[in-house]
Amino acid sequence: MKEQLLERFIRYAKIDTESDEKSQTTPSTTNQWDLLHLLKEELSTLGMEEITLDENGYLFATLPANTDKEIPVIGFLAHVDTSPDFTGKNVNPQRHDNYDGSDLVLNEDTTLSVSRFPELQNYIGQTLITTDGTTLLGADDKAGIAEIMTAMAYFQEHPEVKHGKLRVAFTPDEEIGRGPHKFDVDAFGVDFAYTMDGGPLGELQYESFNAAGARVTFKGTNVHPGTAKGKMINSILRAQEFQAAMPALEIPELTDGREGFIHLMDIQGSVEKTVLDYIIRDFDRDSYEARKKLFFDTVAQMRSDYGEEAVVLELEDQYFNMGEKIMPHMEIVDIISEAFSNLGITPIVEPIRGGTDGSQLSYMGIPTPNIFAGGENFHGRYEFVSAETMEKAAQVIIETVKLYESRA
């Protein structure tokens, strides 16, 4: 199974599928179609049925039940796009067999060092796949795709293993928050699902951030600085004033666990116009609403001070804590925990400091916890994944399906 997984993963990783938040199309980039079409062909070769790829890039397929037992229809999902945070073009995966615990030289300028990334010590003796130091790797979420495909191949190769109806979905644009926006819940037709989109071995997640995005635009007036007194309005300084009203210690680099944050992601500015782009994150709904209120209140105060046209706020919810929808169905989490135990995996049950497609799908009627896929250091040149962890993830899919059948 390990070599099958690696072959699939490396092949998928080499396909550029970077998404683009500035695009208005779905998928947001045409490159995502390259992997979707490849996967469609592979699903057909595996003997999957009811294979559909719609005009928005949502690929669904069915592994029919091979038992007469009444078993819930289970879905497994992964996303095809990679993050626009770092280039996914010309990915050149590097294989390191029997990793010995030392630093890994990715290229003459880039080293994946144990001192900076001590988690490497968890993988001694394993096969690691890294980048060549010039791109991201794409384990987020091509590891998940490879695991799902390998698990489906296992069931086809072992018809003696009984199972209910299984549905597979590969989706676009998860990395820019749009993964489920055009997802056809009725067409997918499952009782619940799991995303294979987590990190290290053992991650099991059924809570996520509540999330919003905000853009604050400040308008100014430019006049020659030599004659600017009483005339110039510097929008950059107005933007600084706004940022100064945000909680200085509640930022990503100073928070972890269940702590929320306000993250200033981008600044584009001149005297005439400055734009600040933020994301707002919190697990607690009341705290989340309080963070959004801070934006509205600060804008209201600045409009009172400088005029209604001085500042414009655009703020939208992106997704909500999926725990609110999953907790009433904790049996779907408990059975995964049992599958972990049967495979000798210690569950790491922590909230996702981010979101998955499951965050939105859970609110669309499909409770969808998240399972580890194996990657570390996502979205950058230091990303890597363990072949052994990917193998365990595929085994979790198989064991979970077996457990549902045995209990029916």
Side-chain angles (χ1 to χ4, degrees):
M1 181 182 289
K2 172 181 165 180
E3 291 303 321
Q4 277 188 18
L5 269 166
L6 283 177
E7 187 278 328
R8 284 191 172 98
F9 171 69
I10 290 172
R11 185 155 41 85
Y12 302 156
K14 290 180 178 179
I15 301 172
D16 178 13
T17 56
E18 186 177 328
S19 48
D20 179 5
E21 61 188 349
K22 296 179 181 178
S23 169
Q24 298 304 308
T25 64
T26 306
S28 62
T29 53
T30 58
N31 290 345
Q32 293 180 62
W33 287 109
D34 296 338
L35 181 53
L36 287 163
H37 288 303
L38 174 65
L39 292 171
K40 182 181 179 182
E41 291 179 10
E42 291 189 10
L43 288 165
S44 178
T45 300
L46 284 177
M48 301 285 282
E49 299 182 10
E50 299 175 333
I51 301 171
T52 60
L53 177 58
D54 70 17
E55 68 275 13
N56 295 307
Y58 293 83
L59 176 59
F60 296 168
T62 296
L63 182 65
N66 63 0
T67 176
D68 293 331
K69 290 184 178 181
E70 292 291 327
I71 301 173
V73 180
I74 309 170
F76 293 96
L77 300 94
H79 61 89
V80 299
D81 66 312
T82 61
S83 172
D85 291 348
F86 203 69
T87 182
K89 188 176 182 179
N90 297 322
V91 174
N92 182 28
Q94 306 294 300
R95 177 170 175 163
H96 310 267
D97 289 301
N98 194 23
Y99 171 61
D100 63 6
S102 62
D103 292 352
L104 293 172
V105 177
L106 305 182
N107 61 47
E108 61 182 11
D109 299 316
T110 309
T111 298
L112 183 59
S113 66
V114 176
S115 61
R116 187 173 180 186
F117 301 102
E119 62 272 18
L120 282 165
Q121 296 295 299
N122 298 328
Y123 297 97
I124 293 174
Q126 299 187 26
T127 297
L128 299 186
I129 307 299
T130 69
T131 76
D132 66 1
T134 63
T135 70
L136 51 66
L137 180 61
D140 181 12
D141 190 24
K142 291 168 183 174
I145 297 172
E147 291 152 9
I148 292 169
M149 294 293 284
T150 301
M152 295 305 109
Y154 173 89
F155 288 121
Q156 293 291 58
E157 293 163 3
H158 296 274
E160 73 278 6
V161 178
K162 301 302 179 184
H163 56 81
K165 180 179 180 179
L166 305 178
R167 289 282 275 163
V168 167
F170 299 124
T171 62
D173 292 339
E174 188 270 354
E175 294 291 359
I176 56 174
R178 301 181 203 163
H181 282 194
K182 297 182 180 180
F183 191 101
D184 191 333
V185 169
D186 292 335
F188 195 42
V190 301
D191 294 291
F192 50 85
Y194 300 97
T195 48
M196 305 300 297
D197 194 19
L201 178 70
E203 279 194 352
L204 173 56
Q205 299 156 324
Y206 60 88
E207 290 186 85
S208 63
F209 277 136
N210 297 291
R215 169 167 288 184
V216 194
T217 302
F218 303 86
K219 297 180 181 178
T221 302
N222 197 13
V223 178
H224 189 286
T227 58
K229 186 174 182 179
K231 301 173 185 177
M232 178 183 285
I233 299 172
N234 192 331
S235 74
I236 300 172
L237 299 180
R238 296 274 174 87
Q240 289 178 332
E241 180 179 339
F242 181 91
Q243 172 58 22
M246 299 296 108
L249 301 181
E250 297 174 14
I251 56 178
E253 55 266 48
L254 296 178
T255 53
D256 61 7
R258 302 188 66 86
E259 298 171 325
F261 58 76
I262 293 172
H263 178 34
L264 175 58
M265 296 181 64
D266 188 63
I267 302 174
Q268 300 292 327
S270 65
V271 172
E272 283 278 344
K273 179 181 177 181
T274 299
V275 179
L276 305 183
D277 285 319
Y278 291 89
I279 58 172
I280 303 166
R281 300 290 188 264
D282 211 302
F283 293 101
D284 179 79
R285 181 65 77 96
D286 290 339
S287 295
Y288 171 66
E289 295 297 333
R291 292 183 189 281
K292 292 195 296 181
K293 186 175 184 296
L294 176 61
F295 273 69
F296 288 111
D297 289 349
T298 304
V299 166
Q301 182 60 56
M302 294 187 73
R303 284 176 172 172
S304 175
D305 293 341
Y306 304 122
E308 289 294 315
E309 302 300 317
V311 54
V312 175
L313 172 63
E314 303 166 79
L315 190 153
E316 291 186 354
D317 294 313
Q318 295 171 321
Y319 55 84
F320 296 103
N321 187 341
M322 63 187 184
E324 294 182 20
K325 299 298 182 182
I326 293 176
M327 286 179 186
H329 307 280
M330 282 299 289
E331 65 277 4
I332 69 176
V333 176
D334 294 339
I335 203 163
I336 289 290
S337 295
E338 185 174 344
F340 278 22
S341 178
N342 291 349
L343 294 167
I345 302 169
T346 301
I348 304 171
V349 182
E350 296 178 343
I352 306 170
R353 287 187 63 80
T356 69
D357 281 347
S359 302
Q360 297 179 57
L361 288 172
S362 294
Y363 281 83
M364 294 167 67
I366 307 176
T368 308
N370 189 45
I371 299 170
F372 70 91
E376 299 250 23
N377 302 334
F378 291 149
H379 299 188
R381 69 178 80 239
Y382 298 105
E383 186 181 3
F384 69 90
V385 67
S386 156
E388 285 77 7
T389 302
M390 285 196 292
E391 186 174 29
K392 283 288 189 182
Q395 291 170 349
V396 165
I397 296 173
I398 295 165
E399 181 65 19
T400 300
V401 170
K402 288 180 179 179
L403 286 173
Y404 276 107
E405 193 279 337
S406 69
R407 303 224 175 135

